[in-house]
Amino acid sequence: MYLRVTERHNRDGSAVRYFALAENIWNADAKRSETRVVHSFGRADQVDHAALQRLVRSINRILGEGDGEAPSKDLTSVGPVDIDIDAVFELGIPLVARHLWDQLGIGPAIRTCIDNAGLTAPHEIALLAMAAHRLDDPGSKRGCAERWLADTVWMPEAAELTVDHLYRALDFLAVWTDEIEQAVFLQTADLFRLDVDLIFYDTTTAYFEIDEADEVEQEWAGRLFAPLRRRGHSKEGRDNQPQVIIAMAVTRDGMPVRSWVLPGDTADVSTVAKIKADLHAWRLGRCLFVGDAGMYSADNLAALSKGLGRYILAVPMRKLREVEGDVLTRPGRYRKVADNLQVKEVWVGDGERRKRYVLCLNPEEAERQRHHREQVLTSLTAELAVLAERDTEHPKAACALLTSRRYGRYLTEDAAGRPQLDQGKVAAAAKFDGKFVVITNDETLSAEDVALGYKGGWIIESCFRRMKQTGLEVRPMFHWTPRRIEAHVKLCMLALQMQRAAEIACGLPWAQIAHTLSALKAVRYQVEGRGIVQRTKISPGVSEILKSLKISMPKRLLTISKPPETQVAA
């Protein structure tokens, strides 16, 4: 009886070995010796080596071999094994990241681009390492190579990567990002059966801690990159610092479709035509574009309507006389959609120029705003009373009230230039309590569906918060060339897709998934001259996550290195 080793070759040329306990028996009829398998241990890379070693020790103990003592020796007399633990590494998040990388088609898409470019550099491994770094402990690329990969996680395939490898991989991603994004989205849409009829679009800003803005275009690998770090209107309250615009389109499931990195002085209303053209090139079919009030303009409405395009856009109510004069004052009953949402459909104009508005009311928010305004008016009345008691004709306090963001909207000036409460402005402000207005050119949707479709835009705000404030930390950015700034944002987008895929499959927020996976470690230790890397016990929580993601349980012994004298003898 002996341990039989067989080998099978796959189509890709890789070899798979199998272990089995076998014996040779004599076939009297055929007059030849034949092999009979007594027990199959399965694939060699999945066999529990510790179990085999225990079997060997058990056989030696029964036979009394190894130390020459009798089989019945007292095992309690054996001293403890000397184990020297070298390090403990994170295993859970790298394991999940590696699986999602291939499941979402990111790895295959990158490998295809590498083959098309005729490259041999380890760009795919470098990009995988940086994406997993974003999911686990975001930081600089240098920190990823010199600390995270070296001391924190178990990713042996990325152990030899340097900072230079990571930067070169970013350059590769900047050139091939369009092809990779399209291939990944098509794979993801098919994998999760995503609803791509509703596409949410929005922009945000990311600032840089520098003084000078970029002025010169840069060329790389035949592509011209526009200067990105420019001063513009910041959504983070930092108008004096150079920034970039990050635009994103997501499905109603919160899965990113595509992203764009634009110069920091780009206005939201000027981006829609390019975004629509880029999405149309992907042939998504019937696509309903959803955007906020920053996208509203006559040019954007015309651009979105071309080619029978459909849209739902929020309307800047206080900037359009048509909304304030016709929509908000139009009589009619609201229809209840939910406890915090009521809708009313309003048509304005005739013929081809007529517009369809949906007026939405949140009663709870309306009551909150009314109560807040009453508090402000009470305080303002007290301020005006104090001001009236003063003898001076126009004290400085009067100017402070008129220019105040809190009080100024309710005030007007009398003949002497002194502030007084304007009841007309108070009544006008009350018309907006708890209301928002959206416009659409899709007549097949009910008013309820239009309102709910727009309210679903919270999902893209959630994606931006993940990128900027929690988890992925797209900023601070340590890059200064346009191509690497763009590649850095695209890398964060790939990590966001992996994160959302895990959340959809597990039905849990990523923070909870990551916390549970942190319990799975890889321990490296020395015992009897061998270097061994072994995973820790898989907890029920980790097991449930791996099962939801359809990831096979990692083998217990990850690597075993032979003693030096054995290696030399071999």
Side-chain angles (χ1 to χ4, degrees):
M1 194 172 294
Y2 58 95
L3 187 66
R4 183 190 185 198
V5 180
T6 58
E7 190 170 283
R8 177 177 61 84
H9 293 274
N10 297 322
R11 293 182 179 180
D12 58 0
S14 61
V16 180
R17 303 172 67 203
Y18 295 84
F19 289 165
L21 186 65
E23 64 178 355
N24 292 332
I25 60 174
W26 179 257
N27 188 331
D29 296 333
K31 296 183 179 181
R32 66 171 181 267
S33 178
E34 295 180 349
T35 301
R36 181 169 67 92
V37 174
V38 178
H39 175 74
S40 176
F41 293 101
R43 290 178 50 159
D45 57 347
Q46 297 178 353
V47 169
D48 189 344
H49 289 261
L52 289 179
Q53 291 174 349
R54 289 194 298 271
L55 177 61
V56 172
R57 288 197 298 269
S58 176
I59 295 174
N60 287 335
R61 186 172 65 250
I62 298 299
L63 297 178
E65 295 180 0
D67 52 11
E69 295 185 10
S72 60
K73 77 171 186 176
D74 185 7
L75 296 180
T76 59
S77 62
V78 180
V81 179
D82 186 16
I83 299 178
D84 185 12
I85 297 179
D86 292 338
V88 178
F89 303 97
E90 298 286 344
L91 179 61
I93 290 181
L95 177 67
V96 169
R98 192 179 296 108
H99 171 78
L100 293 174
W101 186 259
D102 287 328
Q103 184 188 44
L104 298 180
I106 301 174
I110 292 175
R111 290 193 289 271
T112 299
C113 294
I114 291 176
D115 292 339
N116 292 339
L119 303 176
T120 58
H123 292 327
E124 184 202 351
I125 299 302
L127 293 172
L128 168 59
M130 289 187 286
H133 184 217
R134 288 284 133 191
L135 293 174
D136 183 34
D137 184 22
S140 67
K141 305 302 180 290
R142 182 175 296 278
C144 175
E146 297 181 357
R147 292 186 296 276
W148 189 75
L149 286 174
D151 303 322
T152 304
V153 296
W154 178 253
M155 292 187 71
E157 67 271 36
E160 302 299 324
L161 293 178
T162 64
V163 178
D164 189 61
H165 287 125
L166 303 188
Y167 285 146
R168 293 294 173 262
L170 285 179
D171 293 339
F172 167 82
L173 181 61
V175 175
W176 292 90
T177 182
D178 291 342
E179 292 81 355
I180 294 172
E181 273 190 329
Q182 182 175 7
V184 171
F185 172 72
L186 294 178
Q187 169 70 12
T188 305
D190 181 65
L191 180 65
F192 293 101
R193 294 184 174 88
L194 298 178
D195 181 359
V196 297
D197 281 352
L198 203 63
I199 300 297
F200 297 96
Y201 171 77
D202 201 0
T203 64
T204 188
T205 56
Y207 62 87
F208 292 79
E209 297 287 356
I210 60 172
D211 293 328
E212 299 297 329
D214 294 336
E215 301 291 344
V216 182
E217 296 178 335
Q218 295 187 7
E219 184 178 359
W220 176 262
R223 178 182 169 187
L224 194 63
F225 291 86
L228 295 178
R229 300 182 298 179
R230 307 283 294 174
R231 287 186 174 86
H233 173 66
S234 174
K235 298 186 178 182
E236 302 166 289
R238 293 175 174 264
D239 291 334
N240 61 332
Q241 289 182 279
Q243 64 180 14
V244 295
I245 302 292
I246 300 174
M248 188 187 339
V250 304
T251 68
R252 71 168 72 211
D253 304 285
M255 182 62 72
V257 177
R258 191 168 183 176
S259 62
W260 297 264
V261 184
L262 307 169
D265 55 357
T266 305
D268 283 352
V269 295
S270 65
T271 64
V272 172
K274 171 178 173 53
I275 302 316
K276 182 176 182 293
D278 289 346
L279 292 177
H280 181 71
W282 284 12
R283 303 183 183 277
L284 296 181
R286 183 182 183 276
C287 179
L288 183 64
F289 184 94
V290 183
D292 64 9
M295 308 297 163
Y296 184 90
S297 71
D299 291 339
N300 282 348
L301 295 182
L304 290 172
S305 299
K306 289 181 179 179
L308 299 178
R310 296 291 181 260
Y311 60 80
I312 298 176
L313 289 182
V315 176
M317 297 188 296
R318 300 179 186 272
K319 296 182 180 180
L320 295 182
R321 293 182 180 179
E322 183 177 78
V323 172
E324 187 173 357
D326 296 333
V327 178
L328 295 179
T329 59
R330 183 70 59 90
R333 292 185 177 181
Y334 286 95
R335 297 196 298 271
K336 185 176 181 179
V337 179
D339 291 339
N340 62 344
L341 180 62
Q342 299 177 14
V343 299
K344 180 170 61 176
E345 188 175 28
V346 179
W347 290 89
V348 177
D350 298 314
E352 295 182 356
R353 294 188 176 182
R354 72 173 185 167
K355 299 178 182 178
R356 185 191 183 197
Y357 294 97
V358 176
L359 176 59
C360 306
L361 170 65
N362 184 339
E364 297 176 1
E365 180 65 16
E367 179 61 24
R368 189 195 67 81
Q369 292 178 0
R370 185 192 64 79
H371 181 67
H372 177 263
R373 185 172 55 257
E374 288 179 352
Q375 292 179 327
V376 172
L377 292 178
T378 300
S379 176
L380 176 57
T381 302
E383 293 284 347
L384 291 175
V386 173
L387 188 62
E389 296 176 356
R390 300 185 180 182
D391 296 332
T392 54
E393 294 184 358
H394 196 288
K396 291 183 178 179
C399 293
L401 286 178
L402 289 169
T403 57
S404 169
R405 297 184 61 183
R406 180 178 175 84
Y407 300 126
R409 70 183 68 180
Y410 305 116
L411 296 174
T412 188
E413 297 181 53
D414 60 12
R418 298 171 67 90
Q420 64 179 10
L421 190 63
D422 189 333
Q423 294 296 337
K425 290 184 177 180
V426 174
K431 293 190 302 184
F432 295 93
D433 287 352
K435 297 175 183 176
F436 64 92
V437 178
V438 296
I439 185 174
T440 181
N441 65 343
D442 193 336
E443 300 183 10
T444 65
L445 296 176
S446 66
E448 292 85 346
D449 288 339
V450 172
L452 292 175
Y454 173 72
K455 284 181 69 68
W458 67 269
I459 192 70
I460 194 169
E461 297 295 339
S462 174
C463 291
F464 278 136
R465 282 195 299 272
R466 292 165 183 268
M467 288 189 64
K468 295 171 60 176
Q469 301 171 8
T470 61
L472 302 178
E473 295 184 14
V474 71
R475 65 166 193 250
M477 288 192 233
F478 301 97
H479 307 288
W480 59 273
T481 57
R483 70 178 187 276
R484 288 185 179 169
I485 293 173
E486 180 174 338
H488 171 75
V489 174
K490 299 292 186 178
L491 180 70
C492 291
M493 195 63 56
L494 292 177
L496 179 60
Q497 288 178 309
M498 297 163 67
Q499 193 178 93
R500 282 297 300 145
E503 290 179 334
I504 292 173
C506 298
L508 298 172
W510 175 254
Q512 184 175 346
I513 295 173
H515 176 73
T516 303
L517 291 175
S518 65
L520 184 58
K521 309 287 187 181
V523 182
R524 186 176 65 196
Y525 59 91
Q526 301 288 330
V527 57
E528 297 180 354
R530 294 176 180 268
I532 299 176
V533 179
Q534 179 177 331
R535 65 161 172 82
T536 57
K537 183 179 179 181
I538 296 180
S539 66
V542 174
S543 177
E544 187 64 27
I545 289 177
L546 297 182
K547 182 179 179 181
S548 299
L549 295 174
K550 299 180 180 179
I551 301 177
S552 301
M553 298 294 177
K555 57 185 180 180
R556 186 176 181 184
L557 294 180
L558 302 177
T559 62
I560 299 177
S561 60
K562 297 180 180 180
E565 60 272 13
T566 305
Q567 295 176 354
V568 172

